[in-house]
Amino acid sequence: MNNHRILPFYMTYPMPLFYQEEDSVQRDLEYLQQMYPTEAKKYQKRVASILDKIDYEGSMIYDEYPDKMRLYQLAGDILNQMKREEEKEEEKEDPEKWNRVGDMIQILLFYEIYKRRHTNHRGILKF
C-alpha cells in the first residue's frame, strides 16, 4: 500500500493571501500620502529624495537605535537646504513659517525612515 499522502492544495501554500495583505497596506499608505496638503507633499518629496542619497546597506537610518542627535541634525540640514531654495523664490517671509516647516520636516523624515526600515528590497512593507 502506498503510504504517501497527497496534500490538498490549500495546505501546500499555507499563506496564499499574505502578499495581497501587504500590497493592500502599501496601497493604503500611498493613498493617504496623496491626501497630504500641497505644501506637505512638496516637503515629503524633497525629504524622500534626500533620503535616497543616504539609503544604503549599513546606513545610520538602519541602525537598531538611530542616533537621536544625528536625526535632528539631518532634519536641520534638510530645513536649511529648503530655506535656501525658497529664499530665491520668495521675497517676504513669515518668521513663524520656518518653525512650522521644521516640525513638519522632522515628522516627514521620521516617517520616511520608518517606512524604509520596514520595507524590504521588493517594496513590500514588513510588519
Side-chain angles (χ1 to χ4, degrees):
M1 181 160 218
N2 191 355
N3 288 336
H4 296 290
R5 185 173 169 196
I6 298 174
L7 291 174
F9 174 75
Y10 64 89
M11 292 183 74
T12 57
Y13 299 102
M15 296 182 0
L17 301 176
F18 180 71
Y19 293 111
Q20 289 178 350
E21 290 174 11
E22 286 184 349
D23 187 43
S24 68
V25 169
Q26 181 68 26
R27 278 184 288 144
D28 285 347
L29 288 172
E30 290 172 358
Y31 175 73
L32 291 172
Q33 282 182 334
Q34 290 174 0
M35 294 177 12
Y36 282 176
T38 306
E39 191 173 359
K41 281 184 199 177
K42 178 176 74 170
Y43 294 135
Q44 195 273 333
K45 288 178 185 175
R46 189 70 180 125
V47 166
S49 70
I50 290 172
L51 274 181
D52 285 340
K53 295 175 185 173
I54 62 169
D55 187 359
Y56 54 87
E57 183 99 16
S59 172
M60 68 101 174
I61 65 174
Y62 295 112
D63 290 346
E64 185 174 356
Y65 297 103
D67 184 32
K68 186 178 184 180
M69 294 308 294
R70 181 66 185 113
L71 291 177
Y72 288 148
Q73 181 182 10
L74 181 60
D77 293 345
I78 293 170
L79 177 65
N80 290 333
Q81 189 173 6
M82 289 183 183
K83 275 184 191 180
R84 284 191 304 261
E85 290 172 1
E86 289 191 12
E87 284 176 355
K88 296 175 185 175
E89 299 170 3
E90 297 177 2
E91 293 180 10
K92 63 178 185 174
E93 282 189 33
D94 176 18
E96 287 294 314
K97 174 187 175 186
W98 291 112
N99 290 334
R100 294 188 308 267
V101 170
D103 292 342
M104 184 173 24
I105 287 173
Q106 278 186 351
I107 292 168
L108 292 171
L109 175 68
F110 298 155
Y111 175 72
E112 188 68 25
I113 290 173
Y114 171 80
K115 192 167 76 169
R116 288 170 190 250
R117 287 170 60 110
H118 290 81
T119 303
N120 65 15
H121 296 290
R122 291 175 293 158
I124 298 173
L125 289 177
K126 298 185 295 186
F127 289 105

